[in-house]
Amino acid sequence: MCGRFALTLPPEAMVQIFGAAPANDLPEVPNWNICPTNAVHAVLSQEGSRRLVSLRWGFVPLWYTSPSDGPLLINARAETIATKPAFRQAARDRRCLIPASGFYEWTKDEDGRRLPWYIHPQEGEFVAFAGIWQDWSSPEGAAMSTCAIVTTAANEALGHIHHRMPVTVAAPDWALWLGEAGHGAAVLMRPGPEDLLAAHRVDPKVNSNRAEGPELIEPFDG
């Protein structure tokens, strides 16, 4: 799964890298501790143009009467995304890319303490997570745009930390995932290459969703 991540790329860099027009309400970066329900950067493709927008991380199905009307859906499993009622239409028609500099996962020691790891690209400054998005509105008219990160079974390189990992989309496949290059995006929902990501232990202070600062991603030996 993916329950926390970091992004340090400035908006200007994301605009250039993805060839996307920026919205006016983008979240602040850098952010070393992006949590569920936070606003995240996402790249959408609509009517032949890419946009860099802000989405709430936590997909809200259309039948929810409020964002808390059911489970908080921050991840969508690749194995069931095409059939699960909450996600299947978005998986067909509303896919997005969610840039991340890295993400966090946790293991436990023999005493049950949570040990955080930071997982990041071995080369380059970021990866693009596969995502799905949806506009939602309440019966009273409150509206928001929401998203979930697509996950799959972890590859061997990361399986000792967690059994799930985000689906990452390589640059040559961005157009296919966004629906610009026709059909067949389902083939992209697989674990990334074994040498794509590296991991190191980080300070347990990141266990708090209030923790901030670049030290959260620094290697930790304690």
Side-chain angles (χ1 to χ4, degrees):
M1 65 176 291
C2 177
R4 221 81 83 65
F5 67 98
L7 179 64
T8 61
L9 283 177
E12 298 81 8
M14 289 184 273
V15 165
Q16 183 175 6
I17 290 167
F18 291 101
N24 295 324
D25 61 343
L26 296 174
E28 291 188 9
V29 284
N31 187 340
W32 291 273
N33 195 6
I34 300 171
C35 303
T37 74
N38 287 173
V40 302
H41 293 79
V43 178
L44 318 181
S45 183
Q46 296 175 304
E47 299 179 354
S49 298
R50 290 183 184 177
R51 299 170 54 224
L52 179 66
V53 303
S54 174
L55 300 177
R56 175 196 185 260
W57 184 20
F59 191 94
V60 181
L62 294 176
W63 58 83
Y64 277 25
T65 58
S66 75
S68 58
D69 203 27
L72 180 60
L73 304 176
I74 61 171
N75 295 153
R77 295 175 65 94
E79 298 87 345
T80 57
I81 194 172
T83 56
K84 193 168 183 176
F87 301 136
R88 61 190 178 198
Q89 193 63 47
R92 285 194 292 266
D93 302 328
R94 294 185 299 279
R95 297 188 296 271
C96 62
L97 297 167
I98 299 173
S101 300
F103 64 100
Y104 300 96
E105 287 294 358
W106 282 261
T107 56
K108 289 185 178 180
D109 65 13
E110 59 275 11
D111 297 319
R113 292 176 297 185
R114 299 178 73 226
L115 307 178
W117 297 73
Y118 184 62
I119 302 165
H120 58 93
Q122 295 210 48
E123 297 183 3
E125 296 183 75
F126 77 101
V127 291
F129 294 155
I132 56 173
W133 68 278
Q134 179 157 276
D135 289 331
W136 172 87
S137 59
S138 71
E140 296 75 30
M144 63 175 63
S145 296
T146 70
C147 67
I149 293 170
V150 182
T151 67
T152 188
N155 58 26
E156 290 187 12
L158 299 182
H160 69 287
I161 299 174
H162 199 276
H163 66 285
R164 304 289 295 177
M165 66 181 293
V167 171
T168 56
V169 183
D173 296 322
W174 290 348
L176 181 57
W177 181 256
L178 292 174
E180 300 166 342
H183 302 291
V187 302
L188 304 177
M189 292 190 289
R190 58 182 184 267
E194 297 290 338
D195 60 353
L196 175 66
L197 301 170
H200 59 257
R201 282 277 316 283
V202 291
D203 196 309
K205 69 189 299 182
V206 79
N207 292 352
S208 168
N209 59 14
R210 298 181 180 180
E212 298 178 356
E215 66 274 11
L216 295 182
I217 67 173
E218 294 298 320
F220 178 77
D221 295 327

